[in-house]
Amino acid sequence: MQKSIYLLVLTLLSINTNAAFNGLSYHSRANCAGFNESITWDARWYRTYATISDHFYGRNVHEIKLTWEDTWRSAAYHYAEGYGGWQVIGSHWMVDERTARSFYLGTTNVVNCSIYDGWWDSGSPKLNKGI
Amino acid sequence: MKLNLIVSLLIAPAIVFANQPTTKLELEQQGFPVADGGIQVKPLTNISKGITAPRKNKILIAHEAIKKNGFYEIDNPEVKTIFKLGNQKPLAIGSSDSKDTHLKSSIKDVGLAFEFKGIPVNEKDVVGYAAIGGFDHGWNGVTQIFKDQDLGTCQYDLYNIKLSHGSEFIPQELVSYELNGKATLIDVRGNANSGFMYNIHWADNTKVNDLYCANMNFDKAKTQKLIELAKKIDKSVVIK
C-alpha cells in the first residue's frame, strides 16, 4: 500500500506537460496519506532556497530544515508520516544569486493536504545554473 | 528498498533534523531575514549566508560591468524562459478556480487575497495573469505577463509582504534608490547569442516587485525605459 502511494507521488513529481508555471511560490501540505511537506519553488530558473518544515503531532514535534541549496525546488519532505492529526508549519526563503538579495517569503500553516492544480506540472527547468 | 534508497538520495543533501523548531532569534543569528523584518539594506558580507564568498565576488564583478557597460556579458538561458512564458495561451475568462495556478486571461480569476487591478500597460499587450507567492484565503502574490514594442516580452512579479509578513535583505554595494526613493536593484545580463534580460527589483514595507523584460538586443535606452515603466507601476500598485 505504502509502496503504491510512493509510486503515485513519484509519478506526479515526474509529470511534465509543459504547462504554465509562472513564478516563485511556496506551500505546505499535511496528512497526505503518508507524507508531510513544505516546498519553495520556481520552475522558471535556479535560485538558492532554504525551507524549514515543522511537524506537530500532539506534544510531539520535529523539524526538517533544508539549508541553502541551489535548486529550482526546495522540498522539506517527510515520508512515512502524515496519516492524520498532523499540523505542518513551513518557513520559506529565496536568495537571488545574481544580486544576493535575500527574501523571506512567508510562513505556511496547514492541517490538510489541499493541493493546488499546476504545482506538479512542470519538470525541472532546463537551465544552466549560476548565471 | 531500491525505491527508498532513491528517495533517500534525492532528499539527503542539506537536510537537518531537529526535535524543536528553530526560534526567530536563532534564525536572525544564522543570517535569515525573518517575519515582519521589513526591507533592510546591509553590507554584502553580512547578508545572504546562502551565497558563497566566490559567488559574492562574481556578483560584484557583474555589478561593475553593468555600471560600466550597461550589462554583464554572459550566455543567459533565462531570456528564453521569459520568451516561452510570453508564448502561453491563457485560460479562458471564467476559469476562476483559485487553486489553478495556470496563466489566466482575467485578473479577477486568479483569486487574490488583495486588490490588484493590473499594471498600466495596454490591455491588448497583456498575455495573462497568474498566482505566485503563497495561498491563505487567496494568493498573496501575482504575476502579469505582457509584450512591449521596445522592451520585448516582460513579466511583472508582485509579492504583497504586508499580507505574507515577508521581509528582505538587499546588499548596499548594489542598491540604488532609483525607484521613487525605494531600495532598487538593476540587473541586465546576456549576450548576442542568448539575448538579454533586463531586470529591475524594488521593495518597500508593503510590496516586493520584479520587472523582467527579455529582448534579443541590448540598448541602454531600453534600461531607461524599463526604469520609467517600473516607476509608473510602483505608483499605480498601492497595497492597502
Side-chain angles (χ1 to χ4, degrees), chain A residues 24 77 90 96 128:
Chain A
L24 173 60
Y77 172 86
D96 185 337
N128 297 324

Side-chain angles (χ1 to χ4, degrees), chain B residues 21-164:
Chain B
T22 307
T23 65
K24 191 174 179 182
L25 179 62
E26 287 168 336
L27 287 169
E28 285 177 315
Q29 288 168 345
Q30 290 165 23
F32 287 86
V34 295
D36 297 313
I39 307 303
Q40 298 181 44
V41 176
K42 296 181 167 201
L44 190 54
T45 48
N46 293 356
I47 65 169
S48 306
K49 302 285 184 189
I51 300 283
T52 60
R55 184 73 204 173
K56 285 178 180 175
N57 281 338
K58 202 172 168 186
I59 287 167
L60 292 172
I61 289 167
H63 180 64
E64 285 306 310
I66 293 165
K67 272 202 304 189
K68 189 179 169 196
N69 306 320
F71 69 99
Y72 177 52
E73 188 167 4
I74 189 168
D75 205 54
N76 187 349
E78 297 183 0
V79 176
K80 197 174 168 187
T81 300
I82 296 291
F83 281 140
K84 273 173 75 178
L85 291 178
N87 288 333
Q88 292 177 88
K89 191 176 177 201
L91 298 176
I93 290 175
S95 307
S96 59
D97 179 0
S98 63
K99 291 190 176 175
D100 187 334
T101 59
H102 296 93
L103 198 70
K104 297 184 173 181
S105 300
S106 168
I107 186 64
K108 288 178 185 166
D109 289 338
V110 176
L112 295 179
F114 62 103
E115 189 179 321
F116 174 72
K117 292 177 180 170
I119 60 173
V121 294
N122 287 331
E123 203 162 319
K124 67 174 177 53
D125 297 328
V126 175
V127 178
Y129 310 86
I132 58 172
F135 186 89
D136 182 13
H137 300 96
W139 291 94
N140 60 30
V142 63
T143 188
Q144 180 170 344
I145 298 171
F146 61 98
K147 306 258 174 103
D148 182 281
Q149 200 173 1
D150 297 324
L151 292 172
T153 302
C154 300
Q155 178 170 27
Y156 169 66
D157 291 350
L158 165 66
Y159 303 91
N160 181 334
I161 60 168
K162 193 176 171 186
L163 275 182
S164 67

Side-chain angles (χ1 to χ4, degrees), chain B residues 157-219:
Chain B
D157 291 350
L158 165 66
Y159 303 91
N160 181 334
I161 60 168
K162 193 176 171 186
L163 275 182
S164 67
H165 303 278
S167 63
E168 190 164 76
F169 294 163
I170 292 181
Q172 72 180 32
E173 291 87 344
L174 275 63
V175 75
S176 70
Y177 293 90
E178 197 112 21
L179 251 291
N180 305 328
K182 298 173 182 182
T184 307
L185 299 168
I186 295 171
D187 190 275
V188 182
R189 60 182 65 201
N191 60 25
N193 177 51
S194 68
F196 295 84
M197 176 80 92
Y198 296 75
N199 172 216
I200 184 162
H201 174 89
W202 72 103
D204 61 28
N205 287 333
T206 62
K207 62 186 196 283
V208 165
N209 314 260
D210 266 296
L211 177 61
Y212 303 93
C213 289
N215 196 295
M216 287 311 293
N217 301 310
F218 172 73
D219 185 343

Side-chain angles (χ1 to χ4, degrees), chain A residues 3 6-7 10 17-27 41-48 50 52 54 56 61-69 75 77-79 91 93-108 114-119 121 126-128 130-131, chain B residues 3 7 13-22 27 30 32-35 44 47-51 55 58-59 74 76-78 81-82 85 88 99-103 130 132-134 139-140 143 145 155 157 159 161 164-169 171 174 185 187 189 197 199 201 208 210 212:
Chain A
K3 194 172 177 182
Y6 231 62
L7 285 169
L10 288 178
T17 60
N18 294 320
F21 278 104
N22 301 290
L24 173 60
S25 181
Y26 60 98
H27 68 271
W41 68 291
D42 188 338
R44 293 176 300 180
W45 37 55
Y46 282 83
R47 295 286 182 261
T48 301
I52 295 178
D54 290 313
F56 298 86
V61 58
H62 56 261
E63 178 174 277
I64 299 172
K65 185 175 183 179
L66 284 185
T67 50
W68 298 110
E69 187 183 8
Y77 172 86
H78 197 174
Y79 167 64
S91 300
W93 290 267
M94 185 278 294
V95 170
D96 185 337
E97 295 161 333
R98 301 166 310 151
T99 61
R101 74 178 173 92
S102 185
F103 184 21
Y104 170 64
L105 285 153
T107 298
T108 42
S114 179
I115 193 167
Y116 54 89
D117 181 24
W119 74 271
D121 281 4
K126 306 295 185 289
L127 296 172
N128 297 324
I131 60 158
Chain B
L3 198 58
V7 171
I15 294 182
V16 176
F17 283 92
N19 58 8
Q20 286 298 322
T22 307
L27 287 169
Q30 290 165 23
F32 287 86
V34 295
L44 190 54
I47 65 169
S48 306
K49 302 285 184 189
I51 300 283
R55 184 73 204 173
K58 202 172 168 186
I59 287 167
I74 189 168
N76 187 349
E78 297 183 0
T81 300
I82 296 291
L85 291 178
Q88 292 177 88
K99 291 190 176 175
D100 187 334
T101 59
H102 296 93
L103 198 70
I132 58 172
W139 291 94
N140 60 30
T143 188
I145 298 171
Q155 178 170 27
D157 291 350
Y159 303 91
I161 60 168
S164 67
H165 303 278
S167 63
E168 190 164 76
F169 294 163
L174 275 63
L185 299 168
D187 190 275
R189 60 182 65 201
M197 176 80 92
N199 172 216
H201 174 89
V208 165
D210 266 296
Y212 303 93

